[in-house]
Amino acid sequence: MDLEALNGLLRPKSIAVVGASNKEGKIGYTVVRNLLISQYRGTIYPINPTESVIQGLQAYPSVLDVPGTIDAAVITVPAKLVPAVTEECGKKGVKGLIIIASGFSEVGRHDLEQQVVDIAQRYGVRVLGPNIVGILSNSDLCNASFAPFLPLAGKAALVSQSGALLIAMDASTYTRRVGFDKMVSIGNMSDVDFADTVEWLDQDEATACISLYIEGLRNGRAFMHAALKAAKPIVALKAGVSAHGAAAAASHTGSLAGSGKIYDAAFQQGGVVRAADLNNLFDRTLALSLQPPMQGENMLIITNGGGVGVLATDAAERYGIPLRFAPDDVQTELKKHMPEFGSAKNPVDLTGMAGRDWYYASVRYAFAHPWVDGLAVLYCETAITDPLEIADGIKQALDDAGVKDKPVVVSFVGGEQSDAARKWLVENGVPAYDAPDVAVNALAALREYARSRQLASEVFQRYADVDEATARAIIANARAHHNHSLTEIESKKIFRAYGMPVALTEMAQTEDEAVQLAEQIGYPIVMKIMSHDILHKSDAGGVKVNIKNAEGVREAFRTIIANAKAYKPDAIIEGVAVQEMAPWGTEVIVGSVDDPTFGPSVMFGLGGIFVEILKDVTFRVAPVSADQSFKMLEEIKAGAILAGARGEAPRDRRALAEVLSRYSQMITDLSDEIAESDANPVLVYAEGQGAKVVDARIILKK
Ligand code: ADP
Ligand code: MG
């Protein structure tokens, strides 16, 4: 990262406003006014070709006439003038451009946008935008935007691809009481993108949590890389479900991928916490910016009401941190701070009689107890207690517990008093919400963050025993014959070169040859049509299984050829594959796509209706370690079937995970060649007995 230039852009010590104006209503007027109102302490240079004074400040005809240095130039002139202004800024040595002007790629003018970026790059100038609102920073008292005011001060930073949404979120920071230090509008991302801003915000002292509103990433891998490297929590709201490539996809995997699932996977792999919607983005940002991650699974709920306790318990299950009963010593101690009819299990119900003292004693004890990994303190307003007093008791208890490495969230349900108590708690660093499920969801975000950091730390170890050269030779041979979809035999050779267990398969051109091969391999055998023109062999009547003798082989050979000719008269038939008949096993599918945003990605699912109807599949951006692959097997809804449901013997998931991992290496190594591929099905056997690829397909890039 170009730290120096990005510092100039995002924490400028001097700002030129190109297109600065005295006319109210113009953006060039608003930006200057906002800089003045926000009490920006750096130097402001209004640039205007005719006026010598703008809003009381000395103005200059061009940036080239400015006596001092300029860190950032906010560009508010019409799009067609921006290339010339960029040229001048380059000559002046401006570090970064904040191009508010619109009329670029968002309206199809990619050429104009590229022209601006080209000029800027020639001078080493970074470009934020175009088509943005600007940047806002509380710690710099800098509102270099046309958003009306700086956000409520706090520790989060927002990066938004949507300008309108940024303005709306800016205003709602006050009503929602979620504080931000910075807001950055990145618009068309012609140069500075999410990866750059994440990397920069990670080293920004005023930022504790990076909050993203994403419509589409430009370079998915760069983003994942930046996210993985970041030491601060990142929470992202991804809008717009990707339909990339779904229509054009020839395989199952392609059509299943077009549903945002690869974004889900990439975020998880990059350690990025997801937000489900805008409310959730605020709620999770609040917790992530104020509290440490939740390192273990044990959440304790302390409440004064059974109702909110049950709601919180449901939410805990829904958001992936199901409750466990507190251990005996915890229960015994907590029993001392509640009436006889209270409950010390989990949720801990102090009852409606609970006042400041009971809250104080139980929170203080529980927060310090090693069993507790995260605490949710719930309160329902009652006639006999004062919310502000309770809030004060909770805060005091947290401080006195002296624990800094575990998180707490609070929910106060009630009226104005509770609202005031929540406000006070947030101002004192405790994330407080108006509903128990929302508080639990926020705690779940802190748990997800810790979990995904653990996951993200697992590195992929390459398999050294692979034969990439053989794989590439097979591909080169197919290309030489102008074939883009490899036959099953070719595909299986490549799979085998990557160390995957493949059913023994040979090519026969004649009946006699087929019989000979069948006898070598041993009955029963399977026979299949081999043609670059037939992708789905069964559809063409091109698969015969369980052939037991020479007579069967001859008959199958003739039938398969005849069926294929009837199915597709102009198909060029390479021959008929003769292969070992693998014993019955659980059928699973392994697939890959070359995602336009994230590149080679793997898919896993169970075969048959699980994929066809239920679309029960999971994705990862490749490559994936065997351990990560194992998690994929557990992740699908039908995962229990592999684990050994209903008295069935568990399947060999270790072997299958290795197949997935090797497969992910194959599509990564050969990503310049492979567009899509799959192994459909892979048969998985009982534990210790491995897995076998019985059908394989590779489609090359055009
Ligand atoms: P398609 O091109 O139609 O997908 P496949 O090669 O997958 O053709 O064969 C269809 C089905 O036949 C598979 O789903 C599997 O159930 C079975 N099958 C194929 N090859 C073998 C084999 N070598 N051993 C056992 N079963 C096989
Ligand atoms: Mg198949």
Side-chain angles (χ1 to χ4, degrees):
M1 182 188 45
D2 184 357
L3 192 62
E4 173 72 11
L6 281 181
N7 280 342
L9 186 66
L10 298 170
R11 300 200 68 182
K13 294 196 181 67
S14 51
I15 298 177
V17 181
V18 181
S21 173
N22 280 319
K23 284 198 206 82
E24 227 172 293
K26 293 216 149 204
I27 289 191
Y29 171 89
T30 309
V31 173
V32 174
R33 193 174 124 260
N34 281 345
L35 283 167
L36 291 170
I37 290 175
S38 63
Q39 298 179 318
Y40 176 62
R41 281 167 304 195
T43 319
I44 308 167
Y45 298 113
I47 308 297
N48 183 301
T50 52
E51 306 273 339
S52 58
V53 177
I54 298 280
Q55 299 182 48
L57 298 168
Q58 188 185 346
Y60 302 86
S62 142
V63 288
L64 293 168
D65 302 308
V66 169
T69 59
I70 301 171
D71 275 353
V74 183
I75 317 271
T76 68
V77 295
K80 63 177 190 298
L81 303 178
V82 175
V85 169
T86 304
E87 189 79 48
E88 288 179 3
C89 287
K91 287 194 180 124
K92 173 68 185 167
V94 173
K95 289 181 184 135
L97 305 184
I98 298 168
I99 307 184
I100 289 178
S102 53
F104 295 88
S105 63
E106 83 281 7
V107 293
R109 291 300 308 274
H110 297 271
D111 56 323
L112 194 59
E113 191 165 304
Q114 195 52 49
Q115 194 188 348
V116 170
V117 173
D118 288 345
I119 297 167
Q121 275 171 357
R122 223 171 42 233
Y123 291 100
V125 180
R126 298 304 303 261
V127 177
L128 190 66
N131 186 27
I132 61 172
V133 169
I135 59 164
L136 302 99
S137 166
N138 267 309
S139 51
D140 301 306
L141 297 175
C142 175
N143 180 2
S145 82
F146 62 87
F149 37 70
L150 288 171
L152 177 71
K155 292 180 178 178
L158 174 75
V159 183
S160 173
Q161 210 168 343
S162 157
L165 194 67
L166 182 138
I167 296 176
M169 285 182 72
D170 179 23
S172 44
T173 57
Y174 290 91
T175 50
R176 293 170 189 264
R177 296 191 207 110
V178 179
F180 286 80
D181 187 65
K182 292 183 177 67
M183 290 194 163
V184 180
S185 170
I186 60 172
N188 296 1
M189 307 190 293
S190 68
D191 171 27
V192 173
D193 60 8
F194 280 107
D196 294 315
T197 42
V198 162
E199 202 177 337
W200 186 83
L201 287 167
D202 193 46
Q203 57 81 55
D204 175 47
E205 279 166 23
T207 300
C209 166
I210 303 167
S211 209
L212 310 174
Y213 170 77
I214 300 174
E215 282 169 6
L217 292 169
R218 225 180 32 177
N219 180 341
R221 295 268 170 162
F223 173 75
M224 285 175 78
H225 187 71
L228 265 176
K229 258 184 33 193
K232 293 172 187 171
I234 302 169
V235 54
L237 172 58
K238 167 72 177 80
V241 161
S242 158
H244 277 314
S251 70
H252 254 320
T253 317
S255 56
L256 289 164
S259 56
K261 285 198 172 194
I262 298 182
Y263 263 97
D264 286 337
F267 284 171
Q268 198 189 336
Q269 286 173 268
V272 175
V273 175
R274 292 299 293 268
D277 55 37
L278 211 45
N279 286 333
N280 197 230
L281 182 64
F282 274 105
D283 294 335
R284 296 193 139 199
T285 295
L286 182 65
L288 287 162
S289 64
L290 297 179
Q291 294 289 312
M294 181 171 157
Q295 300 293 357
E297 298 290 342
N298 295 326
M299 165 171 72
L300 190 79
I301 295 176
I302 297 177
T303 177
N304 69 337
V308 289
V310 178
L311 288 172
T313 306
D314 289 350
E317 181 131 351
R318 190 158 65 239
Y319 302 128
I321 39 173
L323 288 195
R324 300 161 177 178
F325 288 125
D328 289 345
D329 61 325
V330 174
Q331 294 199 29
T332 309
E333 175 63 28
L334 290 176
K335 263 288 181 196
K336 296 178 190 159
H337 311 293
M338 61 179 69
E340 197 52 47
F341 57 96
S343 168
K345 294 196 168 80
N346 193 12
V348 175
D349 187 355
L350 304 177
T351 78
M353 293 166 66
R356 186 190 189 281
D357 294 348
W358 290 356
Y359 265 100
Y360 174 86
S362 47
V363 168
R364 185 183 166 159
Y365 172 79
F367 202 47
H369 195 282
W371 182 82
V372 175
D373 297 311
L375 193 60
V377 187
L378 316 177
Y379 168 75
C380 266
E381 211 169 301
T382 67
I384 54 161
T385 52
D386 173 5
L388 276 162
E389 260 183 34
I390 303 285
D392 182 71
I394 294 170
K395 170 69 180 147
Q396 194 66 54
L398 293 169
D399 289 348
D400 293 351
V403 176
K404 294 257 180 287
D405 59 353
K406 46 174 112 156
V408 60
V409 295
V410 168
S411 152
F412 272 45
V413 178
E416 279 171 24
Q417 299 267 307
S418 285
D419 188 55
R422 283 196 300 269
K423 180 166 189 279
W424 183 85
L425 281 165
V426 171
E427 281 165 4
N428 284 281
V430 181
Y433 302 91
D434 61 1
D437 52 313
V438 180
V440 169
N441 180 289
L443 193 65
L446 294 159
R447 179 68 196 123
E448 281 166 35
Y449 175 52
R451 253 190 226 140
S452 64
R453 294 312 302 183
Q454 283 162 8
L455 215 83
S457 66
E458 280 173 18
V459 283
F460 174 77
Q461 293 282 353
R462 279 186 58 85
Y463 293 93
D465 59 350
V466 304
D467 183 359
E468 187 178 334
T470 293
R472 287 196 178 275
I474 294 161
I475 291 170
N477 181 56
R479 283 211 187 274
H481 294 89
H482 306 287
N483 291 319
H484 280 107
S485 62
L486 304 189
T487 59
E488 182 182 320
I489 292 196
E490 289 166 328
S491 305
K492 276 180 172 169
K493 281 186 185 150
I494 296 174
F495 276 59
R496 195 198 292 278
Y498 272 82
M500 286 172 263
V502 169
L504 183 59
T505 306
E506 303 288 353
M507 180 80 102
Q509 242 85 47
T510 63
E511 277 180 47
D512 288 343
E513 238 174 66
V515 171
Q516 212 183 345
L517 287 170
E519 247 122 64
Q520 273 170 26
I521 292 167
Y523 295 107
I525 56 142
V526 174
M527 290 170 68
K528 299 180 191 173
I529 189 74
M530 287 296 109
S531 163
H532 290 101
D533 302 317
I534 298 175
L535 263 180
H536 301 283
K537 300 176 291 289
S538 303
D539 293 355
V543 179
K544 298 281 170 211
V545 300
N546 205 18
I547 301 164
K548 295 196 172 99
N549 51 42
E551 212 170 302
V553 172
R554 289 183 189 281
E555 193 189 314
F557 191 94
R558 287 193 293 268
T559 317
I560 285 173
I561 301 275
N563 286 351
K565 284 195 168 142
Y567 180 76
K568 204 170 189 187
D570 58 346
I572 298 169
I573 293 164
E574 259 81 13
V576 174
V578 179
Q579 60 190 264
E580 87 181 85
M581 168 123 177
W584 179 88
T586 306
E587 293 200 0
V588 304
I589 297 179
V590 171
S592 83
V593 286
D594 188 33
D595 184 76
T597 308
F598 294 100
S601 307
V602 284
M603 182 201 82
F604 169 75
L606 248 53
I609 57 158
F610 293 102
V611 163
E612 305 276 347
I613 297 164
L614 302 174
K615 309 209 180 316
D616 183 19
V617 293
T618 183
F619 283 85
R620 287 287 190 288
V621 175
V624 275
S625 69
D627 283 346
Q628 274 264 8
S629 303
F630 197 91
K631 292 196 179 96
M632 293 176 77
L633 312 185
E634 293 176 314
E635 223 165 70
I636 56 166
K637 294 191 192 81
I641 292 176
L642 292 170
R646 291 175 146 250
E648 293 263 347
R651 305 282 101 189
D652 198 337
R653 291 186 293 170
R654 285 269 147 237
L656 180 57
E658 187 179 328
V659 170
L660 255 174
S661 183
R662 286 179 175 274
Y663 176 75
S664 77
Q665 181 173 332
M666 178 187 86
I667 61 162
T668 306
D669 285 359
L670 306 174
S671 65
D672 55 325
E673 295 280 15
I674 297 179
E676 305 174 41
S677 66
D678 63 31
N680 180 11
V682 179
L683 300 177
V684 191
Y685 301 110
E687 232 161 42
Q689 290 169 33
K692 197 150 254 186
V693 175
V694 301
D695 183 21
R697 169 165 47 215
I698 291 177
I699 296 163
L700 299 179
K701 287 184 171 171
K702 284 257 150 59

